[in-house]
Amino acid sequence: MTRSTPQGAGRRLEDAIAWAVRNADGIVAIGVALAVGLMDVLNQNMSDNIVSGATLLVLAALVYGGLTERRRRVSDIRAATAGTSRAIEDLAMVRTLSGAEVALAHERARRTTTRWVFKGGTGTYLRAVTLPECVLEAQRQRRSLSMKIDIINPADDQVCTAYARFRSTFGGGFGEWTVERTRKEAYATVVAAGWHRQRLDTLEIDVHLSSVAPALRFDLSDTCLIITQDDPSRVSLSVDRDRPLYDYYVTELHQSREQAVKLDLREAVPLSDEPTVDEVRRLLDRLGLPLPSSFTDRDVGDIIDKALRAENPYRR
């Protein structure tokens, strides 16, 4: 036979009292109804006024109980609504961009940022707009600028072939993408990074070369993350910095760079304001990224033009 402990008995008493408080309206109604019913049975001469008053008291207790329950339900609904609103806000952490909104979002992101992280294919838009505009803003505001660039490795035949095939299939009408063009575009981004670094002392710029061909482009600033595709007719995405997804991609982009080959631009040879073919060849040799033997001086000249005079591919 199990004996009740003092603690167990006390807990049951507390539970009973709490239940009675929560259901006080019902207890009052039942108690009054039982009392009047017993009085009516035991005393046949009970006044009609007493019966009527007791009935009203019971009804009042029931109405009070109904109102209390309604208040509880309203409170529960408000709590549920607040939770739903928070969930909707979390789902809405990504904004869609299309058309001119993409360029405007990039412009706002460049305006005050002190860092820029890029991951993409060959960095054409980066060379044409992002890199020179970010450098110009840093010079204008006399502040430092950190840039981390992650593109495909132009010395990797496999990734260049895969990226050229991808751009030819889904490139959105930007001309034919051959393996040679892909290499030149990637080499040009390396040259552009070295050239700009030598002209802004407060610019800290790293270039990482990946062996994986990406399908998306990521541009991350102090204020937001912008995700775009090579086809400008497709919807792009923007994530503000105060959203969890922004932090997730900060980690993701860092991990991607950790698995890529990093170039040490501190070892770069000087480049003139108008770099020569020999300067570019020496630069790439010093970085451990020599040009293919099949590249002629004319090919190197194309790389220089793409590095310093790249055209915005999305300008209409």
Side-chain angles (χ1 to χ4, degrees):
M1 181 175 180
T2 304
R3 295 183 179 180
S4 300
T5 62
Q7 292 85 354
R11 179 61 182 272
R12 287 195 296 274
L13 179 60
E14 291 177 359
D15 293 342
I17 293 174
W19 180 87
V21 171
R22 289 195 305 269
N23 299 278
D25 48 353
I27 293 173
V28 170
I30 294 172
V32 172
L34 289 174
V36 172
L38 288 173
M39 291 172 63
D40 191 27
V41 171
L42 297 176
N43 185 4
Q44 299 296 330
N45 298 322
M46 180 180 293
S47 171
D48 290 341
N49 291 334
I50 295 177
V51 175
S52 298
T55 302
L56 292 176
L57 182 59
V58 171
L59 291 175
L62 293 175
V63 170
Y64 173 79
L67 293 175
T68 301
E69 182 63 23
R70 181 178 296 178
R71 285 196 299 271
R72 289 172 183 166
R73 290 178 180 176
V74 170
S75 177
D76 292 341
I77 291 172
R78 287 176 179 171
T81 302
T84 302
S85 298
R86 288 192 296 270
I88 292 174
E89 288 177 1
D90 290 339
L91 290 174
M93 68 174 64
V94 177
R95 292 184 292 112
T96 59
L97 305 172
S98 60
E101 294 176 332
V102 180
L104 184 60
H106 275 89
E107 181 183 348
R108 286 197 299 263
R110 293 191 301 263
R111 199 168 295 161
T112 58
T113 192
T114 59
R115 69 165 171 169
W116 196 278
V117 178
F118 171 81
K119 176 177 174 56
T122 59
T124 305
Y125 184 81
L126 178 83
R127 292 192 314 273
V129 181
T130 304
L131 179 54
E133 289 295 330
C134 283
V135 168
L136 184 61
E137 284 295 330
Q139 290 173 330
R140 185 179 301 154
Q141 300 181 32
R142 297 185 178 183
R143 54 172 167 75
S144 61
L145 174 64
S146 172
M147 298 196 73
K148 298 185 183 300
I149 301 170
D150 187 347
I151 60 173
I152 63 173
N153 189 342
D156 188 325
D157 291 339
Q158 186 174 358
V159 71
C160 288
T161 301
Y163 188 73
R165 186 185 307 114
F166 171 77
R167 288 302 303 268
S168 297
T169 305
F170 302 103
F174 290 108
E176 181 183 4
W177 275 80
T178 63
V179 175
E180 181 178 331
R181 176 184 175 182
T182 300
R183 281 177 170 169
K184 286 182 178 180
E185 297 283 354
Y187 278 122
T189 298
V190 175
V191 174
W195 188 87
H196 282 285
R197 183 182 183 277
Q198 294 176 13
R199 279 154 184 79
L200 180 62
D201 291 338
T202 58
L203 173 61
E204 177 186 341
I205 186 167
D206 295 324
V207 177
H208 301 256
L209 305 178
S210 174
S211 294
V212 178
L216 300 172
R217 279 195 307 266
F218 301 87
D219 288 275
L220 186 143
S221 71
D222 285 339
T223 58
C224 67
L225 165 69
I226 302 172
I227 305 174
T228 55
Q229 302 182 59
D230 292 310
D231 185 352
S233 65
R234 304 293 296 274
V235 171
S236 300
L237 306 175
S238 177
V239 182
D240 291 335
R241 180 174 182 170
D242 60 350
R243 299 299 184 182
L245 192 59
Y246 177 95
D247 295 327
Y248 297 162
Y249 271 106
V250 168
T251 303
E252 176 68 20
L253 295 174
H254 172 77
Q255 287 299 106
S256 176
R257 293 193 302 273
E258 287 293 303
Q259 300 173 56
V261 176
K262 180 180 178 181
L263 300 180
D264 189 355
L265 294 180
R266 295 173 301 177
E267 299 296 324
V269 299
L271 294 174
S272 306
D273 290 343
E274 287 293 331
T276 66
V277 169
D278 289 339
E279 287 175 347
V280 170
R281 287 187 181 275
R282 287 199 299 270
L283 167 71
L284 295 173
D285 286 342
R286 180 72 66 86
L287 294 176
L289 194 67
L291 290 167
S293 58
S294 60
F295 272 37
T296 64
D297 288 352
R298 182 175 180 178
D299 293 324
V300 181
D302 288 342
I303 291 174
I304 295 172
D305 285 338
K306 291 176 181 295
L308 304 183
R309 288 174 285 276
E311 296 182 3
N312 182 352
Y314 304 109
R315 179 177 293 169
R316 293 292 190 228

